[in-house]
Amino acid sequence: MSYQMDEELKLLIEQFNDTQKKAVDVLEREFGCKRPESNMDFVSRCAPHIRNAGYECGGYKIRPHGYGMEIEVAGKTIDFDFGINGEIDGFDAWRLSYFSRRNNLKNRLKSEEDINSAILGAVDSGHIVKSEGLNYYTRS
């Protein structure tokens, strides 16, 4: 029998990815910064654009950092990094843990250690892949 990805990890990633998409929609729609083509494009083009807007626009506040950003959107706070090629659906154990705890999600996977263990199990089974960068991605 093949290993199935932990259902709570799967749900957590789905919620995280959904919120990432909403955050990028805000970046494009409210801040007028089209989706970054790479993580470096975010650093060199979007982050300065966000700073020039005073970090706030349309009722949203973005805190850019490194290759990513933190924002509250649709009632959830998320912190994520863009992928090397501008991917918006990457994650890691720390960010999933922060997302789960910060938003009081009903999920037994709260600690970074528990989430990391579940991610590594899903990597071993082929459900999740590790990028060249910092992020993990679900296999399509």
Side-chain angles (χ1 to χ4, degrees):
M1 182 186 287
S2 66
Y3 172 85
Q4 295 297 316
M5 183 169 23
D6 182 292
E7 284 300 316
E8 291 200 37
L9 176 62
K10 185 177 178 180
L11 177 61
L12 178 58
I13 292 169
E14 288 171 356
Q15 292 172 315
F16 189 81
N17 289 164
D18 181 61
T19 305
Q20 284 172 301
K21 289 175 189 158
K22 290 174 181 169
V24 173
D25 286 346
V26 167
L27 179 66
E28 291 180 317
R29 184 182 67 245
E30 301 297 336
F31 284 80
C33 188
K34 75 176 181 90
R35 181 176 164 175
E37 295 178 8
S38 69
N39 55 8
M40 289 305 298
D41 183 36
F42 177 79
V43 170
S44 63
R45 183 177 54 82
C46 292
H49 186 79
I50 293 164
R51 278 192 293 280
N52 289 340
Y55 302 98
E56 293 185 41
C57 195
Y60 295 95
K61 182 174 182 172
I62 294 179
R63 184 183 66 82
H65 58 72
Y67 296 133
M69 62 189 212
E70 181 178 48
I71 184 174
E72 182 179 327
V73 61
K76 291 190 171 89
T77 299
I78 189 166
D79 182 307
F80 70 98
D81 281 346
F82 290 92
I84 291 173
N85 297 307
E87 300 90 347
I88 63 168
D89 57 348
F91 55 87
D92 63 28
W94 182 88
R95 284 180 172 77
L96 290 177
S97 175
Y98 177 77
F99 181 73
S100 181
R101 287 181 289 109
R102 181 75 164 80
N103 297 297
N104 297 313
L105 301 181
K106 304 281 188 255
N107 190 318
R108 71 173 165 72
L109 297 173
K110 295 273 191 229
S111 77
E112 185 177 348
E113 295 78 21
D114 290 344
I115 293 171
N116 191 55
S117 179
I119 289 173
L120 294 177
V123 168
D124 287 345
S125 69
H127 290 90
I128 290 178
V129 294
K130 175 82 167 85
S131 73
E132 295 174 22
L134 303 172
N135 289 331
Y136 289 89
Y137 298 90
T138 55
R139 190 174 296 280
S140 343

